[in-house]
Amino acid sequence: MNVLGIIASGAAALFITVVLAKGVRRTALRAGAAHEPGARPSRAGVVRRLGGTTVVLGVGAAAAAGTGLGAAGGSGRAVTGLLAGAAIVAALGLVHDVRPLGVPLRAAVQTAAATLAVCLAGLSPVAGVLAVIGIVAVTQAFALLDTSDGVLATVGTVTAAGLLTCAALDGRAGLALPPAVLLAGLIGFLLHNWHPARIRPGACGSLFTGFVLASSGALVLAEAPPERAAWIALPVLATVAVADAALVLVSRRRAVRPLLQDCGDHITHRLRRLRVTVPGVAVVLGLWAGAAALTGTLVYAEVLHPAFALVPVTGSAAAAVALLRIPAYVAPPVTATRRRPPTGTVPTGTVRTGTSLRPGSKPVPAAPESPAPAPATAEPPRTTSGRPTVPPPPTGRPAVGLTADRS
């Protein structure tokens, strides 16, 4: 395995990502100050569109250079297909950041990019179909992690480290190159994405990160030796992303919410409701992903029995069930809006005192009525228990007469 080539590619990815991220941060601040003079700069628009491009350009350029210089070894064709598919998905995410696209179009483009990567990798038809399904699902699951500062970069860094270790155990340089450069690029991006985040990955960076991780895992799984339990060890690396996606789908299904509409019900949102800080959420999910990555790597290395792979899966399922009990929806969804009638009119089909309206008739303006004076002998309002209610004392006067009034 060309270790020096992989290290040089990773260092290049780290350097390029850090430089680009710093430039994007300055550009976003200047653009926000120019659009809102005299006010606090609004970074959301520019940062959300440009934040993820730093990871894409840094990782893509370093991986392409490493492949051209022979760091990919005999897997150069597979790495080229992976990078081509990742570029397509990144372009899709960038367009979606600028102008949101429909779900069918995004799913079709992601499927086409995964198919391109699988075809250039030379997988069999059955393995290729399963790989395409897995790549699209895992890519979308990782894209959903972009809900809090530093979460996607932290979980992606830990997952990439696990994939790099698994590929290095077999001595396959081509399969180790993509996770290595992604690991370095995410570290450089995390320097500016940690809370308070200066830049955010957006759809461009999150889809790119998920696609590279999912495609690398599929290629490592396809070329793993038969004696390794790769079929159960590698999927464990994506436990956090899959658990978050499953939690969201189940929660929205139970609450009769749209499945594809963001409702603030991810793991990050529920941890925040438990008073966990924003950096604490990233640390918790990073440790969660680290436990899953360590278990999967040890199972792949044949240090642990394959049955141990069920430990992080079972623990993640139990944690998801526990988090499901935390309320995530403040108000019920609004299905339809009812227009209030104008002031002084009576809705169609209602009956007012002294006047009857036929069904389908137009509203009749209400005549102004003077409030009737309250009779002197009117009985004071009473509570549900039958006792008369007592108004609060006037402002500025002591409440010493309440007891006498009640008696």
Side-chain angles (χ1 to χ4, degrees), residues 147-172:
T147 54
S148 184
D149 294 347
V151 170
L152 176 65
T154 302
V155 177
T157 299
V158 174
T159 307
L163 287 174
L164 174 61
T165 305
C166 293
L169 290 175
D170 298 329
R172 300 182 181 275

CSV table of all heavy atoms in Angstrom, one decimal, residues 147-172:
chain,number,residue,atom,x,y,z
A,147,THR,N,-27.9,19.0,11.5
A,147,THR,CA,-28.9,19.8,12.3
A,147,THR,C,-28.4,20.5,13.5
A,147,THR,O,-29.1,21.2,14.2
A,147,THR,CB,-30.0,18.8,12.8
A,147,THR,OG1,-29.3,17.7,13.5
A,147,THR,CG2,-30.8,18.2,11.6
A,148,SER,N,-27.1,20.4,13.7
A,148,SER,CA,-26.4,21.1,14.8
A,148,SER,C,-25.0,21.3,14.5
A,148,SER,O,-24.4,20.6,13.7
A,148,SER,CB,-26.6,20.3,16.1
A,148,SER,OG,-26.1,21.0,17.2
A,149,ASP,N,-24.4,22.3,15.1
A,149,ASP,CA,-23.0,22.7,14.8
A,149,ASP,C,-22.1,21.5,15.2
A,149,ASP,O,-22.1,21.0,16.3
A,149,ASP,CB,-22.6,23.9,15.7
A,149,ASP,CG,-23.4,25.1,15.2
A,149,ASP,OD1,-24.0,25.1,14.2
A,149,ASP,OD2,-23.3,26.2,16.0
A,150,GLY,N,-21.2,21.1,14.2
A,150,GLY,CA,-20.2,20.2,14.4
A,150,GLY,C,-20.6,18.7,14.4
A,150,GLY,O,-19.8,17.8,14.5
A,151,VAL,N,-21.9,18.4,14.3
A,151,VAL,CA,-22.3,17.0,14.4
A,151,VAL,C,-22.0,16.2,13.2
A,151,VAL,O,-21.4,15.1,13.3
A,151,VAL,CB,-23.9,17.0,14.7
A,151,VAL,CG1,-24.4,15.5,14.5
A,151,VAL,CG2,-24.2,17.5,16.0
A,152,LEU,N,-22.3,16.7,12.0
A,152,LEU,CA,-22.0,15.9,10.8
A,152,LEU,C,-20.5,15.7,10.6
A,152,LEU,O,-20.0,14.6,10.3
A,152,LEU,CB,-22.5,16.7,9.6
A,152,LEU,CG,-22.2,16.0,8.2
A,152,LEU,CD1,-22.8,14.7,8.1
A,152,LEU,CD2,-22.6,16.9,7.1
A,153,ALA,N,-19.7,16.8,10.9
A,153,ALA,CA,-18.2,16.7,10.7
A,153,ALA,C,-17.6,15.7,11.8
A,153,ALA,O,-16.7,14.9,11.4
A,153,ALA,CB,-17.6,18.0,10.9
A,154,THR,N,-18.2,15.7,13.0
A,154,THR,CA,-17.6,14.8,14.0
A,154,THR,C,-18.0,13.4,13.7
A,154,THR,O,-17.1,12.5,13.7
A,154,THR,CB,-18.2,15.2,15.4
A,154,THR,OG1,-17.9,16.6,15.7
A,154,THR,CG2,-17.7,14.3,16.5
A,155,VAL,N,-19.2,13.1,13.4
A,155,VAL,CA,-19.6,11.7,13.1
A,155,VAL,C,-19.0,11.2,11.8
A,155,VAL,O,-18.5,10.1,11.7
A,155,VAL,CB,-21.2,11.6,13.0
A,155,VAL,CG1,-21.6,10.2,12.6
A,155,VAL,CG2,-21.8,12.0,14.3
A,156,GLY,N,-18.9,12.1,10.8
A,156,GLY,CA,-18.2,11.7,9.6
A,156,GLY,C,-16.7,11.4,9.8
A,156,GLY,O,-16.2,10.5,9.2
A,157,THR,N,-16.0,12.2,10.6
A,157,THR,CA,-14.6,12.0,10.9
A,157,THR,C,-14.4,10.6,11.6
A,157,THR,O,-13.5,9.8,11.2
A,157,THR,CB,-14.1,13.1,11.8
A,157,THR,OG1,-14.2,14.3,11.2
A,157,THR,CG2,-12.6,12.8,12.2
A,158,VAL,N,-15.3,10.3,12.6
A,158,VAL,CA,-15.1,9.0,13.2
A,158,VAL,C,-15.4,7.8,12.3
A,158,VAL,O,-14.7,6.8,12.3
A,158,VAL,CB,-16.1,9.0,14.5
A,158,VAL,CG1,-16.1,7.6,15.1
A,158,VAL,CG2,-15.7,10.0,15.5
A,159,THR,N,-16.4,8.0,11.5
A,159,THR,CA,-16.8,6.9,10.5
A,159,THR,C,-15.7,6.7,9.5
A,159,THR,O,-15.3,5.6,9.1
A,159,THR,CB,-18.1,7.2,9.8
A,159,THR,OG1,-19.1,7.5,10.8
A,159,THR,CG2,-18.6,6.1,9.0
A,160,ALA,N,-15.1,7.8,9.0
A,160,ALA,CA,-14.0,7.7,8.0
A,160,ALA,C,-12.8,7.1,8.6
A,160,ALA,O,-12.1,6.3,7.9
A,160,ALA,CB,-13.7,9.1,7.5
A,161,ALA,N,-12.5,7.3,9.9
A,161,ALA,CA,-11.4,6.7,10.5
A,161,ALA,C,-11.6,5.2,10.6
A,161,ALA,O,-10.7,4.4,10.4
A,161,ALA,CB,-11.2,7.2,11.9
A,162,GLY,N,-12.9,4.7,10.9
A,162,GLY,CA,-13.1,3.3,10.9
A,162,GLY,C,-13.0,2.7,9.6
A,162,GLY,O,-12.4,1.6,9.4
A,163,LEU,N,-13.5,3.3,8.5
A,163,LEU,CA,-13.3,2.8,7.2
A,163,LEU,C,-11.9,2.7,6.7
A,163,LEU,O,-11.4,1.8,6.1
A,163,LEU,CB,-14.1,3.6,6.2
A,163,LEU,CG,-15.6,3.5,6.2
A,163,LEU,CD1,-16.3,4.5,5.3
A,163,LEU,CD2,-16.1,2.0,5.8
A,164,LEU,N,-11.1,3.7,7.1
A,164,LEU,CA,-9.7,3.7,6.8
A,164,LEU,C,-9.0,2.6,7.4
A,164,LEU,O,-8.1,1.9,6.8
A,164,LEU,CB,-9.1,5.1,7.2
A,164,LEU,CG,-7.6,5.2,7.1
A,164,LEU,CD1,-7.1,5.1,5.6
A,164,LEU,CD2,-7.1,6.6,7.6
A,165,THR,N,-9.3,2.3,8.7
A,165,THR,CA,-8.7,1.2,9.4
A,165,THR,C,-9.0,-0.2,8.7
A,165,THR,O,-8.1,-1.0,8.6
A,165,THR,CB,-9.1,1.2,10.9
A,165,THR,OG1,-8.8,2.5,11.4
A,165,THR,CG2,-8.4,0.1,11.6
A,166,CYS,N,-10.3,-0.3,8.4
A,166,CYS,CA,-10.7,-1.6,7.7
A,166,CYS,C,-10.0,-1.8,6.4
A,166,CYS,O,-9.6,-2.9,6.1
A,166,CYS,CB,-12.2,-1.6,7.6
A,166,CYS,SG,-13.1,-1.7,9.1
A,167,ALA,N,-9.9,-0.7,5.6
A,167,ALA,CA,-9.2,-0.8,4.3
A,167,ALA,C,-7.7,-1.1,4.5
A,167,ALA,O,-7.1,-1.8,3.7
A,167,ALA,CB,-9.4,0.4,3.5
A,168,ALA,N,-7.1,-0.5,5.5
A,168,ALA,CA,-5.7,-0.7,5.7
A,168,ALA,C,-5.4,-2.1,6.2
A,168,ALA,O,-4.3,-2.6,6.0
A,168,ALA,CB,-5.2,0.4,6.8
A,169,LEU,N,-6.3,-2.7,6.9
A,169,LEU,CA,-6.1,-4.1,7.3
A,169,LEU,C,-5.9,-5.1,6.2
A,169,LEU,O,-5.1,-6.0,6.3
A,169,LEU,CB,-7.2,-4.6,8.2
A,169,LEU,CG,-7.4,-3.9,9.6
A,169,LEU,CD1,-8.7,-4.4,10.3
A,169,LEU,CD2,-6.2,-4.2,10.4
A,170,ASP,N,-6.5,-4.8,5.0
A,170,ASP,CA,-6.3,-5.6,3.9
A,170,ASP,C,-5.2,-5.1,2.9
A,170,ASP,O,-5.0,-5.8,1.9
A,170,ASP,CB,-7.7,-5.7,3.1
A,170,ASP,CG,-8.8,-6.3,3.9
A,170,ASP,OD1,-8.5,-7.2,4.8
A,170,ASP,OD2,-9.9,-5.9,3.7
A,171,GLY,N,-4.6,-4.0,3.2
A,171,GLY,CA,-3.5,-3.5,2.4
A,171,GLY,C,-4.0,-3.0,1.1
A,171,GLY,O,-3.2,-3.0,0.1
A,172,ARG,N,-5.2,-2.4,1.0
A,172,ARG,CA,-5.8,-1.9,-0.3
A,172,ARG,C,-5.7,-0.4,-0.3
A,172,ARG,O,-6.4,0.3,0.4
A,172,ARG,CB,-7.2,-2.4,-0.5
A,172,ARG,CG,-7.3,-3.9,-0.5
A,172,ARG,CD,-8.8,-4.3,-0.7
A,172,ARG,NE,-8.9,-5.8,-0.7
A,172,ARG,CZ,-8.7,-6.5,-1.8
A,172,ARG,NH1,-8.4,-6.0,-2.9
A,172,ARG,NH2,-8.8,-7.8,-1.7
